Structure formats: structure tokens, C-alpha cells
Amino acid sequence: MAALNTVKIFSGSYSTYLADLIAKDYGRPLGGYTCRTFSDGEISPIFEESVRGCDVFIIQSTPPPMDNLLELLLMVDAARRASAHYVTVVLPYFGYARQDRKDKPRVAIAAKLVANLLSASGADRLMTIDLHAGQIQGFFDFPVDHLEGTSVFVPYLKSLNLDNLLIASPDVGGAARARNFAKFLNADMVICDKYRKRANEIASMQVIGEVEGANVVLFDDLIDTGGTMCKAAEIILKKGAKSVRAICTHPVMSGNAYENIENSLLEELIVTDTLPLHRESEKIKVLSVAPLFAKAIGRIRDHESISSLFINNQ
């Protein structure tokens, strides 16, 4: 019989690659779990060991298709019905986070709906990293531990010893995020102002600020098709920059993203492993967030603050 408040870590089908690393860094193997799929596509998650009285951590990113989110919800429900003491959802990538407001009439706020679903499933806590908008934390009525990718990116960027470093936001909406990142590197910042006619298609872009002679690093929370980053790199280099790199926490990498990056003027694209890459690329550098999540799980277990994991407190 499991001891009271024993920590058990489980992974949904999508995030096993990252969950294995998190469990290894934490010092405990992943719990036994299978997800049956019926002939009609219906899924049925099953925990293969007792979770009664345990603090359960369920790791699963939720990019499309919706099966990833549904599996996570069913796992939380199964853990709750199996008398788990406390259920924490570890969401490395929060799918649908970009739909966080009504930007036009008659549209859904998908991020809020996902938050409601997680609450209804019985989750007690959420742990995630670099949400598309920090305000999404307010969609939840239970604690949210919002980790920051800066603690992974800043040491790597410092190791490159780039002179005349300049941080760039690929759009006006990400200016606050880029400014915060620039602060840790004692660097200045510029902004790329873009206009879209439709999703994933840029009509025009201009750079606000001086980039001549600088080593520029574009900073954003995710990269999807890569169109914005590639266009920004092209414009910045035309304005006299020495080099352009891009840093994005979540490598969504849909459509022609790999071709766009490989054919771009970017020196490299630096991402984390919150989402798996579908193929390798010489231009893509992957930094793992597994140690960060493992430390956060340990602090939650011990009822300690996780603020010490933020780079401004290190």
C-alpha cells in the first residue's frame, strides 16, 4: 500500500519523452500507465498502480489534436476517483493559449474554456512554463506555478560571449516579455512591428530601434510556422545587424516551419523540449527544461517557494 503523500509522477501519451527526463532528474521512475484506444478512436486511461493518498503529478502538453487534452482530463479524473491526495497537472505547453481574449466578434476564448475543463476534471494545481500571456493564470481558481524559460536561456546566451547584444521582440505584443529578458542580460531592446492580413501570414513588418552592428536575439514564447522570425531576421540584417538568432520556449513547428528556418538568415533557433521536434536541424538548438520542472516538483512536495528557481533570485 502506498504511503500517505508519496509523490508519483505519470505521463500522458504525448509527453513521455520529457516526462522520462523529469522523473530521472527528480529521482523517481514514472508510474505505470496505459491508454487504451478502442476501434472507434475512444480512449481510456488506466493507472497501473495505486495512487491512493499520493501526491500525483501528471505531465502532458496539449497541442492539437484534442486527444492530448482529453487524455489529460481523463487522467486527472481517474486519479481523483482513485483517491489521490493531491493532483498537480504539469503542462509544459498550454495548447490554445493564444486564444486568450475576444479579438473580434463571435469568437471563443479557448484558453478560459481549457482552464474550466481542468478545474472540472478535479485538478488541484497547475505547473507550466512561459504562457502566451501571463494573465491566463487568472483563468484558474486554483494555484498556478508559472515557471520561466529565462533560467535556461540566459546561461546559454551568456556562454556565447556575444558583443553588442541586442534583444528584439518579433511583435508589439511581446515587448514586455523581451524587455524582461533583456534586463537579465543588461542589453537594449528593439521591436518588430508586424501587420497580419490572416493567421500565419505577415503583410508588412518594420523595425523600431537601431540594430546596426549588433548581435540581435529575437525572443518569443513560441514559434509556429516560423514566418515572423524569418521575416524579422531578414529585415534586421538589411538594417546592418551582425547576426540574428531566435529564442522560443515552445517549438510548435507546424506547416513549413523546418524549411523556413533552414532557408532563413537566422544563425540558430534556440528552443526547449516542452514539445518534441519532428526532425533534427543543424540550425535548431534544444535546451531541456526537465531539471527545472523536477526542482519545482520537489519544492511543491516540500511546501517550499519556487521563486528561487527564477533567474532574478539566483
Side-chain angles (χ1 to χ4, degrees):
M1 182 179 294
L4 185 63
N5 294 347
T6 296
V7 169
K8 291 198 174 184
I9 303 174
F10 296 91
S11 173
S13 303
Y14 185 83
S15 294
T16 305
Y17 69 98
L18 177 58
D20 280 332
L21 295 175
I22 293 173
K24 182 178 179 181
D25 281 319
Y26 181 78
R28 181 180 296 274
L30 283 178
Y33 164 79
T34 57
C35 185
R36 295 185 301 172
T37 303
F38 296 100
S39 60
D40 64 349
E42 186 175 314
I43 60 175
S44 176
I46 304 172
F47 292 110
E48 296 179 336
E49 57 190 76
S50 174
V51 296
R52 184 179 297 274
C54 297
D55 287 346
V56 174
F57 291 82
I58 300 174
I59 303 169
Q60 173 86 321
S61 287
T62 55
M66 285 300 291
D67 279 0
N68 294 319
L69 174 59
L70 181 58
E71 182 184 0
L72 174 60
L73 296 172
L74 292 173
M75 290 179 75
V76 175
D77 184 71
R80 180 59 65 208
R81 294 179 188 278
S83 301
H85 172 256
Y86 199 81
V87 180
T88 299
V89 171
V90 180
L91 203 60
Y93 172 69
F94 189 121
Y96 292 88
R98 284 177 280 185
Q99 299 181 51
D100 59 355
R101 66 193 186 283
K102 287 191 70 174
D103 56 353
K104 57 180 69 71
R106 299 175 298 280
V107 297
I109 303 178
K112 172 58 176 170
L113 177 59
V114 172
N116 290 345
L117 291 170
L118 286 168
S119 297
S121 69
D124 294 299
R125 190 182 200 98
L126 175 72
M127 184 191 301
T128 189
I129 185 169
D130 286 348
L131 288 168
H132 187 63
Q135 300 92 315
I136 292 174
Q137 297 173 74
F139 290 173
F140 295 89
D141 293 323
F142 52 71
V144 176
D145 297 306
H146 188 206
L147 305 179
E148 297 179 354
T150 50
S151 59
V152 175
F153 293 131
V154 169
Y156 175 76
L157 206 53
K158 286 183 175 179
S159 72
L160 298 179
N161 295 316
L162 297 173
D163 63 325
N164 198 13
L165 183 63
L166 189 66
I167 305 302
S169 172
D171 54 42
V172 175
R177 183 186 302 112
R179 187 179 298 111
N180 185 56
F181 186 61
K183 177 183 67 177
F184 297 128
L185 296 159
N186 296 316
D188 290 328
M189 188 192 84
V190 298
I191 298 174
C192 299
D193 183 26
K194 67 183 177 185
Y195 168 69
R196 295 186 191 272
K197 283 187 176 179
R198 58 183 64 88
N200 299 122
E201 185 176 321
I202 300 169
S204 64
M205 177 182 285
Q206 60 183 355
V207 178
I208 303 172
E210 181 58 52
V211 299
E212 187 171 357
N215 287 298
V216 179
V217 177
L218 289 154
F219 185 71
D220 208 355
D221 63 306
L222 63 84
I223 182 167
D224 194 348
T225 63
T228 297
M229 290 296 181
C230 297
K231 182 70 172 177
E234 179 184 341
I235 293 174
I236 289 171
L237 285 170
K238 281 182 179 179
K239 288 186 173 290
K242 279 203 271 185
S243 69
V244 183
R245 290 171 171 78
I247 290 180
C248 301
T249 305
H250 309 293
V252 177
M253 303 297 284
S254 67
N256 295 323
Y258 289 94
E259 290 78 6
N260 290 340
I261 295 301
E262 288 166 1
N263 296 327
S264 73
L265 298 175
L266 288 168
E267 291 281 332
E268 65 176 339
L269 168 65
I270 305 149
V271 300
T272 74
D273 51 358
T274 57
L275 294 169
L277 293 181
H278 304 302
R279 75 186 208 204
E280 292 185 358
S281 170
E282 291 184 357
K283 280 197 173 184
I284 302 177
K285 169 75 174 180
V286 181
L287 305 177
S288 182
V289 291
L292 181 63
F293 276 106
K295 290 176 183 176
I297 289 173
R299 280 164 170 72
I300 290 173
R301 173 203 63 202
D302 296 334
H303 306 289
E304 296 177 351
S305 171
I306 67 162
S307 62
S308 61
L309 300 177
F310 300 155
I311 198 163
N312 55 321
N313 288 323
Q314 292 178 1

